Amino acid sequence: GDSVTQMEGPVTLSEEAFLTINCTYTATGYPSLFWYVQYPGEGLQLLLKATKADDKGSNKGFEATYRKETTSFHLEKGSVQVSDSAVYFCALKKAAGNKLTFGGGTRVLVKP
Amino acid sequence: EAQVTQNPRYLITVTGKKLTVTCSQNMNHEYMSWYRQDPGLGLRQIYYSMNVEVTDKGDVPEGYKVSRKEKRNFPLILESPSPNQTSLYFCASSRGDRGRNEQYFGPGTRLTVT
């Protein structure tokens, strides 16, 4: 079946450091890919998405590129802030359905 | 404001005492879903509904029931809760046409079963 694997955390960074969270997927066909962010005590919010190969999703300084050849969707940000401390989830959705398949989540802690 | 609401936000209960977690959305979405979040496992789908009176099992449906009598509401029912259902639960909704639509999540319900 479909699956998403992302790097385990926690990832601890200093402010203004570069952030990368790796995400790879296994799925048939051409899924859409998503990054969701969960701030402490809150629900999930969509951070960015890409719906086809080579698409780049971007939002709030975060970027991720849909790489079909490596089945990856790594999340990057060039200069993190304390307010980026959260749990990040990579997810996929098949074109034929609404179900999201999530990775295990990566907790990011940014220190001043 | 477009939103998904859940109640209660926090609940502590005992084994076997029936409970219901409510979920409501104000976006006229056809699709609604319940997930549970457990450490290291991400979110796993419990049940989903494509529209009123149409529900189906997700990946981890055992011990749960749902109903969809109205488009805006999708309650999650635990008839006889057990400690392994201690978890963080999220309701989500989206438009019914498939594939690329964003899912909107509620704030979560943290359930503890003792």
Side-chain angles (χ1 to χ4, degrees):
Chain A
D2 303 336
S3 66
V4 176
T5 302
Q6 59 182 107
M7 58 192 292
E8 291 188 22
V11 174
T12 303
L13 303 165
S14 297
E15 214 166 15
E16 299 184 2
F18 185 87
L19 170 68
T20 299
I21 304 175
N22 290 338
C23 170
T24 57
Y25 68 91
T26 301
T28 57
Y30 301 91
S32 294
L33 301 174
F34 303 82
W35 277 101
Y36 280 84
V37 59
Q38 184 181 30
Y39 297 105
E42 298 184 12
L44 279 73
Q45 302 173 26
L46 179 65
L47 181 59
L48 54 84
K49 69 178 182 182
T51 58
K52 60 183 187 297
D54 299 325
D55 266 4
K56 178 186 282 188
S58 61
N59 186 25
K60 298 182 180 180
F62 290 89
E63 291 183 342
T65 301
Y66 190 141
R67 301 284 188 202
K68 187 160 180 63
E69 64 276 13
T70 54
T71 62
S72 64
F73 192 54
H74 306 322
L75 182 69
E76 297 182 337
K77 185 174 185 182
S79 177
V80 294
Q81 305 300 312
V82 172
S83 57
D84 293 323
S85 297
V87 180
Y88 294 82
F89 292 94
C90 186
L92 69 82
K93 186 161 62 171
K94 301 288 279 291
N98 285 288
K99 175 189 167 185
L100 283 164
T101 299
F102 285 89
T106 302
R107 182 175 299 279
V108 173
L109 176 61
V110 181
K111 296 186 174 181
Chain B
E1 178 190 358
Q3 60 181 353
V4 179
T5 57
Q6 296 178 224
N7 282 291
R9 294 289 311 278
Y10 302 90
L11 179 59
I12 300 174
T13 190
V14 297
T15 298
K17 186 176 181 181
K18 180 179 178 180
L19 66 92
T20 299
V21 183
T22 65
C23 172
S24 183
Q25 50 91 8
N26 63 0
M27 295 168 278
N28 201 37
H29 285 163
E30 293 82 11
Y31 180 85
M32 297 186 74
S33 179
W34 278 101
Y35 295 87
R36 61 178 287 173
Q37 181 183 356
D38 301 291
L41 298 177
L43 280 76
R44 294 175 293 168
Q45 190 181 58
I46 303 170
Y47 268 94
Y48 66 95
S49 169
M50 296 298 293
N51 214 323
V52 175
E53 302 292 1
V54 181
T55 64
D56 207 346
K57 297 177 181 179
D59 296 321
V60 288
E62 295 75 23
Y64 304 95
K65 285 176 56 177
V66 293
S67 69
R68 187 93 182 271
K69 293 183 170 53
E70 304 167 286
K71 197 172 187 179
R72 62 183 295 125
N73 296 323
F74 190 46
L76 179 69
I77 303 156
L78 285 71
E79 295 265 357
S80 182
S82 62
N84 65 12
Q85 293 177 297
T86 292
S87 188
L88 180 58
Y89 291 86
F90 289 101
C91 181
S93 74
S94 70
R95 282 169 44 194
D97 45 319
R98 297 169 173 179
R100 305 174 179 183
N101 294 313
E102 175 182 354
Q103 285 195 20
Y104 294 82
F105 284 81
T109 295
R110 185 167 293 281
L111 172 65
T112 302
V113 183
T114 61

